[in-house]
Amino acid sequence: MRETARGWTAVWLVVLALAQTAAFLVVWRFGVHTQLGQWLDTVALTGNRIGQDRIDGPVDRILNAMSVVSLLAATAMIGFIALIRGRKALAVTATLLIAGANVSTQLLKRYLDRPDFGIDPERAAAGNSLPSGHTAVAASVAVALILVLPPKLRVAGAFLGAGYAAAAGVATLSAGWHRPSDAVAAYLVVGAWAAVAGLVLLFFQRERAVVSPADAHRIAAAVLGLGGVAALLVSAFALSWLVDRSTVAVDELGRRPLFIGYAGSAAGIAGTIAVVSALVLATVHRLVPRWKG
């Protein structure tokens, strides 16, 4: 019975890894290699100027808090939490999740190409910026935290981590550092790595591991996931409203479409990490179960 449950969990993790990889490819293909995708991203980036003076302070604080040093410190903290719980394999796996997600993000950003359709001439020279490195840092730490926290703290960790990662993704848009598709792609990279990390944890799971239904946090995961889906629907509605205006040059758009593009993209960013975090929260009790004795 236990082996059957582990087998189905493994299948679920493979499906998650493949689904999020496929979603990444769709986001990359549409956001980078189509004129409409580039236009929508540019509208959102241009719309970030609306009310920018009011949020510059918080945005700067969020982005400046993310550095190589802070990433190493967060990784060390996450490893320490796992170790004090007596979970050596978990400490190693969580560390590999963070490292893998961030290294692959940088490699993808470097080697993926971005055609110039003449839609965003101001940033054309910068080349490809997908996925967002800052967003990947925040999201990988947030997801790893869900894995290492004890069951009683997982829900709080999931909501706080998702909120922090969402704020980081929106901050990169608000600061003009990244396009919306960059942040969404970063979350999907982290989500795929989380599924791979889950497979590793499942492989090294001890015989005395006991999956407790009380640790499933189904309601919290559902609330987080449905909230994410709702945000994605808002984003889809906002961006679909913009599609009818895609023949208009971005610099000729009025305040309303620019704001809708920015707000709709921000909703899509927040919705994506909420869904990714919910999937991790819904599965973690099977990956890091209690031990007998």
Side-chain angles (χ1 to χ4, degrees):
M1 183 69 177
R2 179 174 179 272
E3 290 302 318
T4 301
R6 287 182 65 189
W8 281 113
T9 302
V11 170
W12 171 242
L13 291 170
V14 170
V15 169
L16 285 181
L18 293 176
Q20 290 177 100
T21 300
F24 171 87
L25 292 173
V26 170
V27 170
W28 166 67
R29 188 68 185 175
F30 176 73
V32 176
H33 284 270
T34 68
Q35 293 188 40
L36 177 59
Q38 287 197 13
W39 184 85
L40 289 171
D41 267 353
T42 306
V43 170
L45 266 179
T46 306
N48 72 359
R49 301 169 188 169
I50 300 173
Q52 193 173 47
D53 55 334
R54 299 180 182 178
I55 61 173
D56 268 348
V59 165
D60 287 343
R61 283 193 289 273
I62 291 172
L63 295 177
N64 290 335
M66 284 180 279
S67 64
V68 174
V69 174
S70 64
L71 177 60
L72 292 175
T75 304
M77 178 196 70
I78 285 169
F80 178 72
I81 292 172
L83 289 174
I84 61 175
R85 295 184 61 205
R87 310 283 184 129
K88 295 179 182 178
L90 178 58
V92 173
T93 304
T95 301
L96 291 176
L97 160 61
I98 295 173
N102 284 281
V103 170
S104 58
T105 292
Q106 295 303 322
L107 290 174
L108 287 167
K109 187 192 301 186
R110 179 172 181 177
Y111 290 109
L112 291 179
D113 66 305
R114 180 181 180 85
D116 181 12
F117 295 129
I119 294 171
D120 190 12
E122 291 182 13
R123 303 175 184 86
N128 177 60
S129 57
L130 181 148
S132 164
H134 281 76
T135 306
V137 167
S140 60
V141 170
V143 168
L145 192 62
I146 299 173
L147 293 179
V148 302
L149 284 175
K152 291 182 179 180
L153 298 177
R154 278 178 191 154
V155 172
F159 277 85
L160 290 173
Y164 170 67
V170 174
T172 63
L173 171 62
S174 299
W177 289 11
H178 279 285
R179 304 169 177 92
S181 59
D182 299 349
V184 171
Y187 295 141
L188 295 170
V189 169
V190 172
W193 272 97
V196 172
L199 287 169
V200 173
L201 289 172
L202 205 62
F203 180 80
F204 287 104
Q205 200 171 91
R206 296 187 179 186
E207 288 298 323
R208 58 193 180 102
V210 178
V211 176
S212 173
D215 297 336
H217 303 304
R218 292 186 180 90
I219 295 177
V223 169
L224 185 57
L226 290 174
V229 170
L232 289 172
L233 290 175
V234 169
S235 177
F237 178 78
L239 297 182
S240 64
W241 182 85
L242 281 173
V243 168
D244 293 336
R245 293 153 181 81
S246 59
T247 55
V248 181
V250 175
D251 56 5
E252 295 177 4
L253 290 172
R255 184 182 180 89
R256 184 184 180 190
L258 290 176
F259 177 76
I260 288 176
Y262 170 75
S265 296
I269 290 171
T272 302
I273 187 56
V275 171
V276 169
S277 299
L279 290 171
V280 176
L281 181 61
T283 313
V284 65
H285 70 290
R286 295 189 174 277
L287 308 177
V288 191
R290 298 175 184 267
W291 290 344
K292 286 182 182 178

